[in-house]
Amino acid sequence: MAEPQDLSSTGLDATTAQTRQFVSFRVGDDEFAIDIMAVREIKGWTETTVLPNQQDYMLGVLNLRGTIVPIFDLRCRFRLGLTTTTSSHVVIIVAIGGRLLGLLVDAVSDILTINVADIRPVPDVDQPIDNAFLAGIIPVGDSMVVLLSLENLFANHGPANDAVAA
């Protein structure tokens, strides 16, 4: 029978199984993160084709190797105004519920490996805010990264909700 392995020399311990990775990015001066498992691609900004009658934060669509992908301006989605796009902006292509979406952000910052126990809940505040898409807060050094729930952020953009009423 094999002896139990000492994992201390490998840098692994019992908490390794409870870590998750997140892609962090900036929108304005704030840092946000999303689950790395949702990220399919990160690409530089390219112009989109605008569709009529869309929300302000839906910038249009782009052709990603034959797949038409809607692109959303996260700054505008957070009610911080429209982004004035430049070549330094980045689009994070994510898969949510079988759909591909693009998120326009200012810059991708890092890949964070976080112990799940270190993710703090979003605090209750007395003012009514739309925080359904906030999944938690990750303390990183002296700053904090806001963890987003992509499913809740785009809950109203499913195929049934995009259909035009007859």
Side-chain angles (χ1 to χ4, degrees), residues 142-166:
D142 294 334
S143 63
M144 291 184 279
V145 177
V146 177
L147 181 59
L148 300 177
S149 167
L150 292 175
E151 293 79 11
N152 291 343
L153 186 61
F154 295 102
N156 294 326
H157 291 278
N161 295 318
D162 290 343
V164 177

Side-chain angles (χ1 to χ4, degrees), residues 49-164:
T49 299
V50 176
L51 300 177
N53 273 345
Q54 296 297 308
Q55 297 285 338
D56 290 346
Y57 52 84
M58 206 290 212
L59 297 175
V61 295
L62 65 81
N63 184 346
L64 185 68
R65 294 180 295 281
T67 301
I68 304 302
V69 178
I71 306 298
F72 294 88
D73 181 347
L74 276 190
R75 178 187 311 267
C76 186
R77 180 68 178 95
F78 297 157
R79 299 180 187 158
L80 301 172
L82 279 171
T83 299
T84 303
T85 55
T86 67
S87 59
S88 66
H89 283 91
V90 177
V91 175
I92 303 173
I93 305 295
V94 296
I96 306 170
R99 298 181 315 138
L100 291 179
L101 304 174
L103 310 174
L104 176 66
V105 301
D106 292 340
V108 171
S109 304
D110 204 354
I111 295 175
L112 305 172
T113 301
I114 304 294
N115 187 324
V116 172
D118 292 337
I119 299 172
R120 305 288 184 245
V122 177
D124 289 331
V125 294
D126 291 336
Q127 299 178 351
I129 61 171
D130 182 12
N131 65 357
F133 55 82
L134 304 179
I137 296 176
I138 304 169
V140 178
D142 294 334
S143 63
M144 291 184 279
V145 177
V146 177
L147 181 59
L148 300 177
S149 167
L150 292 175
E151 293 79 11
N152 291 343
L153 186 61
F154 295 102
N156 294 326
H157 291 278
N161 295 318
D162 290 343
V164 177

